[in-house]
Amino acid sequence: MFAAIFNVDGAPVDHSRFGVAGYDVESIDRAGHVAFVCAKAGPFSARGEAVGIRGLGGLFRIVGRVRLDARDELRSRLSDLPEAAPGEASDAELCLRAYAAWGDAFLDRLAGDFCFVLWDGSRKRLICARDQLGIRSLFHAEVGGTWFVSDSLDWIATRAGVARDLDDTWIADFLTVGHSLEVERTVYRHVRRLPPAHVLTISGTGITTRRYWRLHIGDPLHFRDRRQYTEGFLDLMSRSIGDRLSVGRVGIAMSGGLDSTALAACAVHVTGDASRVVAECLDFDEFESARERHFSSLVAKRLGIELRHRRGDNLVYDKQWWARSTTTPEPSALITTAHFDRDVVCERAERASVWLYGEGPDNALTFERNEYLSWLIGRRDWRRLAEAGAFYLRVKGLAGWWDTLKRYTGRRHPPDDSIGVPPWIEPSLVARLDLERRIAGVTPPGGVGAGLGPRHPWRPEAVAGFSNPIWPAVFADYEFEESLGPLVLRHPFLDLRVLEFMLSVPTVPWAREKMLLREAMRGRLPDEVLARPKTPHDCTLPFGSGLPGLSRNGSLDRYVDVSILSAGSWPGHRLRGRVLAVHVLDHWLATRRTDGIGSG
């Protein structure tokens, strides 16, 4: 945990008032109107993840969580400048040196997983930044001229003077779709979340928030030699994984699917030592367990890595979750598995301090065939249109066309996962927030959804998907998982170099069934794994009747008509999830009130 406290009126920070005992605290300037706070150093510190206060000269200070990509290239850029970066400089110190060299443009040269607060003593201002995709969180609040900035929502919410009124819009979103539709909101009305790719600047003369980066994908990458696609992808993946490794072993959260097994193969290649790579596969239900064990075991044997199987059926719902002491910063379904997750995380941490996850390819390699072909037609690029058509016909094959025929001629059933307002949401809340219109067009669970900004001409769904507010919610879940034990989770496919490459390859044929990964892994993974189709998991919630009774103390009444909820039977997967959300909210309200963080 780290934080900054800034009195913009120049008054010294009163440490006793703001409850910083037990933390490392440093007054940043002579007047004492800026203080940096961070949790005392513990026994664990993965490379680039240590939270501490660093300085450069007498003017600049930084506190935060910083792990940079391409740090050697950054050092090279800084080497000819007055504030040259020594080889042993930490990633946080590299941020400081970049700021000293390039001023406000320094964020244009940074990429990675980071959230930090930087103090510029020459201009008397705080610069608060969050990474491009929002892998790390940063929150802020202002009370009577005092600013609080931290990576911990709980820490800010418990500071003296910070109003704890709940944000009804955030809660309505949570009860309806499972996460906030506006990334700036938190469950507390007066505490805000800095959006991804944004920088907040605070000074005595004013406050500004600026977006410093946008995902930009130009024309498709066209190479004469098809091997350049796979070689380029493997080169970028190697750099990405190399930037995310720590000393010792690295773990892979590995199923028997393509993404995580490709990650394992690349990790073995980068480390050059299979004994440094360990993996764990979660198995669910008898049929799926046999299938996942089979494919993951094939990969482990081929790569020579240590693999453990963990039976996951008993880990997806804790029937006593409401009686546990664990809490979440905001209402979250993660509370229903946190007791089990803590054991898993701590056991994983004994094997490796850094674990790699395979998020990214499912979204970046969305197969948008029609959009790509229409774009080629619009540009009258007949040669590439013919090449794409020939590639598509060849890679799809007779079996693929037969599957397409069956899909279009078979009986279609309406999906159960369409988004709508659950019938038990308090009618006055629905009307006041215009909730029906608010969630119109929201993507069903599992979709990448619509993002912000203009529609991309040939990769509209994939590019827009990475602006979807579900991503910060997913990363917040991962941060909660990290809080349960001494490990760090990293996402090599979401390295901007890798992500932009995946989004830039011609959709036909490279995004069909993630052909880019399959071709890149040919000869590295077993053929049986490469031939395996995408296999969706059954996400049916198993709680059955194992839900706690609602508190009935009135705190839930402004959000839920409990009589409707109690009277109905809700068999659909989406509605079962929304029922669980009501119980999670009820539990959160009760525990927060006990902790002194009630509805204000």
Side-chain angles (χ1 to χ4, degrees):
M1 191 287 298
F2 72 88
I5 307 172
F6 181 23
N7 286 333
V8 294
D9 62 2
V13 173
D14 184 348
H15 294 186
S16 62
R17 179 188 175 198
F18 296 124
V20 295
Y23 296 94
D24 287 331
V25 185
E26 181 178 323
S27 293
I28 300 303
D29 69 331
R30 292 180 181 177
H33 66 294
V34 183
F36 280 177
V37 181
C38 63
K40 291 186 180 295
F44 169 70
S45 177
R47 188 176 77 176
E49 295 292 334
V51 176
I53 302 168
R54 300 289 184 268
L56 181 64
L59 292 178
F60 305 125
R61 292 288 186 275
I62 192 171
V63 64
R65 294 190 68 180
V66 184
R67 189 211 55 79
L68 296 180
D69 292 326
R71 56 181 66 85
D72 290 338
E73 290 88 336
L74 181 59
R75 286 194 184 95
S76 178
R77 290 183 182 183
L78 290 167
S79 62
D80 296 329
L81 299 172
E83 295 293 350
E88 68 274 9
S90 69
D91 287 7
E93 290 166 336
L94 286 175
C95 286
L96 279 179
R97 295 176 186 276
Y99 178 74
W102 298 304
D104 288 345
F106 80 120
L107 286 167
D108 298 338
R109 295 169 169 85
L110 302 183
D113 313 334
F114 57 78
C115 57
F116 61 79
V117 179
L118 187 155
W119 172 248
D120 180 345
S122 63
R123 302 174 70 177
K124 304 297 181 184
R125 61 178 187 165
L126 278 184
I127 298 169
C128 317
R130 188 178 180 193
D131 64 73
Q132 289 86 345
L133 296 180
I135 291 172
R136 295 297 175 209
S137 298
L138 198 61
F139 305 92
H140 57 90
E142 187 267 338
V143 181
T146 298
W147 280 85
F148 303 94
V149 185
S150 178
D151 65 336
S152 169
L153 177 60
D154 274 346
W155 189 88
I156 291 183
T158 54
R159 294 313 95 190
V162 174
R164 295 162 186 151
D165 305 64
L166 298 181
D167 186 328
D168 289 351
T169 301
W170 190 100
I171 291 175
D173 286 349
F174 172 72
L175 292 174
T176 305
V177 300
H179 62 87
S180 176
L181 298 178
E182 299 172 64
V183 295
E184 299 92 340
R185 292 184 182 272
T186 75
V187 71
Y188 302 110
R189 191 188 315 163
H190 300 288
V191 184
R192 308 295 284 179
R193 179 183 278 104
L194 188 67
H198 278 68
V199 56
L200 168 69
T201 303
I202 308 169
S203 70
T205 60
I207 313 300
T208 62
T209 303
R210 174 177 65 88
R211 184 175 191 130
Y212 67 85
W213 175 88
R214 291 183 185 275
L215 180 59
H216 175 75
I217 304 299
D219 288 354
L221 294 172
H222 290 293
F223 299 132
R224 283 184 171 274
D225 188 340
R226 296 182 66 197
R227 289 175 298 183
Q228 290 179 267
Y229 291 105
T230 55
E231 290 171 356
F233 173 75
L234 289 171
D235 174 63
L236 294 176
M237 278 297 294
S238 294
R239 298 188 205 177
S240 172
I241 291 174
D243 286 337
R244 286 161 175 78
L245 294 178
S246 64
V247 176
R249 296 190 296 182
V250 61
I252 312 290
M254 191 176 82
S255 69
L258 180 62
D259 300 349
S260 58
T261 55
L263 200 54
C266 290
V268 170
H269 173 74
V270 171
T271 61
D273 181 0
S275 67
R276 284 189 61 193
V277 181
V278 298
E280 181 172 288
C281 179
L282 285 176
D283 300 330
F284 297 93
D285 77 51
E286 184 174 351
F287 172 71
E288 186 170 320
S289 292
R291 185 173 52 188
E292 294 303 315
R293 278 196 300 271
H294 172 69
F295 286 108
S296 60
S297 297
L298 284 178
V299 172
K301 182 177 180 180
R302 174 68 172 266
L303 300 177
I305 65 175
E306 176 190 312
L307 170 66
R308 290 186 185 176
H309 290 275
R310 184 187 297 272
R311 191 63 183 268
D313 295 288
N314 296 325
L315 304 178
V316 295
Y317 185 74
D318 175 11
K319 292 183 179 180
Q320 295 296 319
W321 62 267
W322 57 88
R324 311 288 187 188
S325 59
T326 304
T327 60
T328 56
E330 296 176 295
S332 170
L334 292 179
I335 194 66
T336 66
T337 61
H339 178 71
F340 302 141
D341 292 341
R342 187 183 303 277
D343 291 340
V344 171
V345 166
C346 290
E347 289 177 17
R348 285 182 174 179
E350 292 178 358
R351 302 179 68 202
S353 62
V354 172
W355 283 72
L356 307 182
Y357 276 54
E359 295 283 2
D362 282 343
N363 308 89
L365 295 175
T366 301
F367 187 48
E368 300 174 87
R369 175 197 58 200
N370 294 343
E371 291 80 1
Y372 177 65
L373 296 179
S374 296
W375 181 77
L376 289 176
I377 292 172
R379 289 170 63 104
R380 298 179 181 274
D381 193 339
W382 310 121
R383 179 173 66 85
R384 290 205 169 98
L385 180 65
E387 289 176 351
F391 279 148
Y392 184 59
L393 289 171
R394 184 166 68 250
V395 300
K396 186 165 185 176
L398 291 176
W401 287 109
W402 177 244
D403 289 341
T404 299
L405 179 63
K406 290 191 294 183
R407 185 167 65 251
Y408 278 95
T409 57
R411 180 178 296 177
R412 299 182 182 183
H413 299 279
D416 177 57
D417 283 338
S418 58
I419 295 292
V421 176
W424 51 80
I425 302 296
E426 228 299 313
S428 63
L429 182 70
V430 175
R432 177 161 52 89
L433 300 180
D434 197 4
L435 200 54
E436 294 280 5
R437 186 170 65 86
R438 179 176 176 80
I439 67 170
V442 172
T443 304
V448 295
L452 304 175
R455 178 182 171 89
H456 193 272
W458 59 279
R459 296 301 308 274
E461 186 177 359
V463 171
F466 285 96
S467 296
N468 192 306
I470 197 172
W471 279 104
V474 168
F475 294 134
D477 287 350
Y478 282 131
E479 286 188 306
F480 176 73
E481 185 177 340
E482 288 179 320
S483 74
L484 300 175
L487 55 66
V488 173
L489 308 181
R490 293 175 178 163
H491 312 277
F493 288 116
L494 297 178
D495 181 302
L496 297 183
R497 298 164 295 187
V498 177
L499 177 61
E500 290 171 358
F501 187 87
M502 290 191 293
L503 288 167
S504 298
V505 299
T507 315
V508 179
W510 296 105
R512 182 181 182 271
E513 297 182 353
K514 294 186 281 195
M515 181 177 169
L516 177 67
L517 264 68
R518 296 182 193 276
E519 289 299 309
M521 291 296 108
R522 200 159 301 282
R524 297 170 182 261
L525 292 176
D527 290 344
E528 191 174 349
V529 173
L530 296 178
R532 185 187 186 189
K534 174 68 177 176
T535 307
H537 295 286
D538 181 6
C539 296
T540 301
L541 294 171
F543 56 77
S545 60
L547 286 169
L550 295 173
S551 59
R552 301 298 182 97
N553 58 17
S555 60
L556 200 61
D557 293 347
R558 64 191 291 188
Y559 307 113
V560 174
D561 185 335
V562 177
S563 64
I564 294 178
L565 182 65
S566 302
S569 176
W570 317 105
H573 166 59
R574 181 185 63 83
L575 287 179
R576 285 168 61 86
R578 301 287 68 82
V579 170
L580 181 61
V582 173
H583 289 265
V584 166
L585 173 63
D586 184 54
H587 175 266
W588 186 88
L589 291 171
T591 55
R592 291 291 123 170
R593 185 168 54 254
T594 299
D595 291 343
I597 312 177
S599 59

